[in-house]
Amino acid sequence: MTALPGLWPEMQDTCTSLGLMLSIVLFMGLARVVSRQQLNGPMAHAFVLEFLATFQLCFCTHELQLLSEQEPLHPTWPLTLIYFFSLVHGLTLVGTSSNPCGVMMQMMLGGMSAETGAIRLLAQLIGALCSRYCMGALWSLGLTKYHVSERSFVCRNPIQVDLPKAVIIEAVCSFIFHSALLHFQEVRTKLRIHLLSALITFLVYAGGSLTGAIFNPTLALSLHFKCFDEAFLQFFIVYWLSPSLGILLMILMFNFFLPWLYDNHTTNKKE
């Protein structure tokens, strides 16, 4: 019983953070409903939906990162939150990618026009930056003891390995995630969302302590904007070029190399 007085404030702070994340999910959901009713143009519709999706993802990830830096009640608690909110995003953000790599993949595979892709990329960039400044304003209110405005102005470098290893980690995470995204299309929606959420949780567990395992350029920009300002080249290579490299390798492997290998093997068997 003596631990309860010291434990209760921590639980209050955690509940406040969870309440903020769930509130923004509900608010963004309401905004999506209104936008679908009010917007007629396909480009405006695509822009607003992508903006809202990216804002929601970045907002929740900011707060999740803050929660992960607290002393958890149980070691698996941060991973449980990552899985739960990955599930929430998967259920609520259908039809959007919130990730430039996802847009790039669709454009390279011919599933999206260059004009639509550019609109979505612009919406993601604006949504990521808006979420960062909104989080800074929210943290300045001091709703919990972890909400401090100074946090927005400090570079918290998540890269704990040298540059080549960081590049490989982010590229591999992007390769694995988008490969699963591409090949899980035939899986039932409810099961697919659970599988992708579990995969995201695993990738964060495997690479989170090394690079953060972000594999999303706009999310990295929102989370580590000050780091991009202080060490732009390093963060540009790790968080922008590396995930893009992972996408390129994935498309080359599944659309060119493996079909060529299969055709070559079939031809040799016939001979």
Side-chain angles (χ1 to χ4, degrees), residues 39-114:
L39 296 176
N40 296 320
M43 289 300 177
H45 189 247
F47 178 89
V48 171
L49 289 184
E50 200 68 50
F51 169 83
L52 294 174
T54 306
F55 186 96
Q56 175 181 317
L57 175 65
C58 293
F59 184 101
C60 292
T61 307
H62 274 286
E63 200 67 29
L64 278 174
Q65 189 180 60
L66 185 146
L67 282 174
S68 69
E69 294 174 4
Q70 302 174 24
E71 188 66 30
L73 300 176
H74 193 275
T76 59
W77 174 239
L79 294 176
T80 303
L81 289 178
I82 291 170
Y83 176 81
F84 174 75
F85 278 96
S86 297
L87 201 60
V88 169
H89 297 321
L91 291 169
T92 58
L93 305 183
V94 178
T96 59
S97 64
S98 309
N99 188 336
C101 293
V103 174
M104 184 192 305
M105 180 178 72
Q106 294 182 58
M107 291 174 63
M108 293 180 72
L109 294 176
M112 183 181 295
S113 67

Side-chain angles (χ1 to χ4, degrees), residues 118-129:
I119 289 292
R120 288 182 179 270
L121 290 174
L122 179 62
Q124 290 173 2
L125 178 62
I126 296 174
L129 294 177

Side-chain angles (χ1 to χ4, degrees), residues 172-206:
V172 168
C173 285
S174 181
F175 179 95
I176 294 174
F177 175 72
H178 287 94
S179 296
L181 200 63
L182 181 65
H183 292 92
F184 285 177
Q185 294 300 317
E186 302 301 323
V187 180
R188 288 188 299 115
T189 302
K190 292 182 179 179
L191 178 59
R192 181 173 71 246
I193 292 172
H194 280 281
L195 290 173
L196 290 173
S197 298
L199 179 60
I200 291 171
T201 305
F202 169 75
L203 292 175
V204 172
Y205 172 76

